[in-house]
Every structure is written in C-alpha cells, then in structure tokens.
Amino acid sequence: MNERLITHLRHVDLAVPDYDKQFRFYTEMWGLEPTITDEGIAFLAAAGSPEQYSVRLRRAAEKRLDLIAFGAATPADVDALAAQLAADGVRLVAEPGKMQTPGGGYGFRFFDNDGRTVEVSADVEVRAHRKVEAGESVPVKLSHVVINSPNPEATVAFYNKHLSFALSDTLMHPRMGEMMWFLRTNTYHHSLAVARGPHVALHHASFELRGIDEYMRGTGRLLRAGVEKVWGPGRHMAGNNTFSYFLDPHGNTIEYTTELEQLDEDNWHPHLYDFSDPMVSDQWGTANPMNEFVAKQSFNDPDRGVFVAPPV
C-alpha cells in the first residue's frame, strides 16, 4: 500500500491488575482527566486534545497493552485499509463497523506481525477541549508510542508495507547494530517507534506538554512526589524533543516531552544516529547516562495478550 490512509495517533489502551492505583496515578499525578468511568474501566483525556481519550485503563488479571489506536480521515479510508490488509493476509480482529467506545465513529481492529492489536477509526466525535495555559504542567495530547519487538526489522517492514508509515530516523550502536526506528504517519517526526527488545511489549508512551517551562514543571512535580525516574530530563537528537521518562505503578515507562520536530517530508532524508555518542542521546547533557539499567527499564514485562500471527 502506497497511499497513506492513517492520519494520526489517537490513544493507547492499558490493562492492569491494580486498577485503582493506576487510575489515581494517571489522574492525580500524571495530569489526565477522566471523561467516562465504569466498573473497572476508565477513559482518560488530555486537556488540550480533541481526542475523546488518550489512555484507556482496564482492570485485568494480567498487565498488558490492549491496543494502539490510530485515526483515518474518512470511513471510506477505513474500509479501504481493512480490505487491503485482509487481501494481504493480515488477520482482522473485527471488521469495519460502528464503534462502541466514547465518541463513536467507524473503525476496525487487526493484529500486527507481533500479535498486538491495532485499531483504526474515522468520524469519531471531537471532544470539547481547551487551550492549556502557561505554567500548566498537564499533557496537551498523546505524542507518540514506542513498542518493543524481538524482530524489529520485520515490524518496521509491516508498518511500512501495510500502513505506509515512513522512516524518519534510526538509532544504532557500534556493538549492537540498529536498535530503534522512528516512524511517522504525518509531519511529526514520529507517531510510532519500534525498539529492539527481548520480547513483545510496550516500550513507552509519550505525552506532549505545552512548552519547555511546563515540561520542566511537570518533571519536577513528579520528582518531588517520589515517582521513579528512568531517564532525563534531556533533549534527544532524533526528533529534537525533550524527554523525562518515569515508571507508572505497574512498571510501564511513560514520558513527558515537548517540541517534537515537524518535518518537511518532501525534503527529509533519514539519519542513522549512533546513540553511543552522548550528544545523540541527550543534546543538553543534563540526563543521567544511557546505560544497560536505563535500557532494561523500558523492556517492560512480556505482553502475554498478543496473538501469535503468521508472517505477512
């Protein structure tokens, strides 16, 4: 498929055993707003985003990544994408139809090559959102999601072939080879990235803040509250965005960021960055060094909810 039918990232859905603790963290500490809650399920929105929700939490016996959701422009694009995936042998979870989640819309779900569930939808009702004011250290929107794969080259090829994601940049290490691929579906440097990991899992979910001051205020608020910091604060080379990585109560890595680069796609050429160069990892030089401990924190637990899909 050459035509890009996916427009943007919508939300990430997490299942957790200690739902109450996770809900309190994401609302009282991380800064998301509950829009709809029911017994054991909550839809949490970012204040500045028109998306109905950026995170869905679900009570479950095992921790897992339930799905990653993307948007399409029209129901016709949803149908076209579903038809092409099915023709290519990609297994659909649900055929295109009316969505039952907040905001409704029209969409479908499928399994990627690693067995994680992906959703694509259109015509979802826009949420009444607001301008995040100066000094407010709450997420404006979900910025991007990074996934771990034991076969990342195949995962990158899947998202390129079937969903027309484009490669923005790649990180490599002299001893370990290529380690992370940044993929875009619009002008932002990446909506999705794929990291080489020992198993299928969520690497991290990243949330955009209003600006540098709000990003630093949010980072400081979490540090003062004793939330475990993994890495940061700093500024990456790939994407030129700021980063502060923390662990949520179930050990998922989540990030505060801002100023993710927007590209001129007609003239962009992907870079191969050596992340053993400290400037690549952190242009500011303010973050703790990237080492094996930091890397392992983002390996996360194996995602046991994945479907073992045949190669496509």
Side-chain angles (χ1 to χ4, degrees):
M1 174 175 288
N2 295 318
E3 183 182 4
R4 184 183 292 170
L5 298 179
I6 288 179
T7 56
H8 66 289
L9 176 66
R10 286 199 188 276
H11 53 86
V12 59
D13 296 10
L14 305 174
V16 292
D18 195 337
Y19 167 86
D20 294 330
K21 180 184 288 186
Q22 195 84 333
F23 178 84
R24 288 193 301 272
F25 175 83
Y26 276 96
T27 56
E28 298 174 10
M29 187 61 62
W30 198 250
L32 298 177
E33 303 172 353
T35 56
I36 297 176
T37 59
D38 203 344
E39 181 59 34
I41 193 164
F43 299 90
L44 310 178
S49 173
E51 295 296 329
Q52 288 287 325
Y53 55 101
S54 295
V55 174
R56 188 195 74 177
L57 295 180
R58 181 177 65 87
R59 191 193 311 274
E62 282 193 312
K63 165 188 165 184
R64 59 167 288 183
L65 171 64
D66 274 343
L67 63 83
I68 303 170
F70 296 96
T74 67
D77 287 348
V78 170
D79 284 335
L81 182 57
Q84 186 60 56
L85 288 171
D88 288 344
V90 176
R91 179 172 172 179
L92 302 189
V93 180
E95 298 283 344
K98 184 177 180 180
M99 304 283 289
Q100 301 302 314
T101 43
Y106 182 81
F108 76 106
R109 295 174 180 177
F110 62 93
F111 293 113
D112 74 4
N113 65 300
D114 283 328
R116 67 180 60 81
T117 303
V118 180
E119 177 183 284
V120 179
S121 61
D123 279 3
V124 177
E125 183 180 348
V126 173
R127 172 178 175 266
H129 55 293
R130 64 180 179 84
K131 178 182 178 181
V132 174
E133 299 296 335
E136 279 193 281
S137 57
V138 298
V140 173
K141 66 175 183 176
L142 178 65
S143 171
H144 57 270
V145 174
V146 181
I147 52 178
N148 289 317
S149 174
N151 189 3
E153 290 86 355
T155 302
V156 171
F158 178 96
Y159 281 87
N160 174 256
K161 174 184 177 182
H162 299 296
L163 303 174
S164 298
F165 277 67
L167 178 68
S168 294
D169 287 317
T170 305
L171 297 183
M172 58 79 66
H173 190 279
R175 296 194 310 275
M176 297 180 284
E178 295 183 350
M179 297 298 293
M180 184 175 287
W181 295 255
F182 298 91
L183 306 177
R184 68 184 186 275
T185 192
N186 49 43
T187 60
Y188 281 101
H189 182 269
H190 58 287
S191 296
L192 181 73
V194 180
R196 188 181 303 278
H199 45 253
V200 177
L202 174 68
H203 184 284
H204 74 267
S206 179
F207 297 80
E208 176 84 16
L209 275 75
R210 184 181 189 271
I212 294 290
D213 182 67
E214 292 77 17
Y215 153 78
M216 287 302 296
R217 287 173 184 266
T219 297
R221 185 185 69 251
L222 294 168
L223 290 172
R224 285 171 174 167
V227 178
E228 184 175 354
K229 179 175 69 72
V230 177
W231 193 28
R235 185 186 281 275
H236 293 310
M237 180 75 76
N240 197 35
N241 56 304
T242 63
F243 66 91
S244 292
Y245 297 92
F246 294 88
L247 294 182
D248 76 12
H250 279 83
N252 296 305
T253 301
I254 48 179
E255 178 189 29
Y256 274 166
T257 190
T258 197
E259 298 188 347
L260 180 65
E261 187 171 8
Q262 292 198 63
L263 310 182
D264 175 357
E265 292 195 271
D266 291 333
N267 296 299
W268 184 259
H269 297 284
H271 303 82
L272 180 63
Y273 288 119
D274 178 357
F275 73 84
S276 67
D277 178 352
M279 282 292 291
V280 170
S281 296
D282 175 21
Q283 298 181 69
W284 288 346
T286 54
N288 47 311
M290 164 53 73
N291 54 31
E292 289 187 11
F293 172 77
V294 171
K296 285 180 179 178
Q297 291 288 68
S298 291
F299 286 165
N300 214 331
D301 302 315
D303 196 334
R304 304 184 189 281
V306 298
F307 164 72
V308 181
V312 291

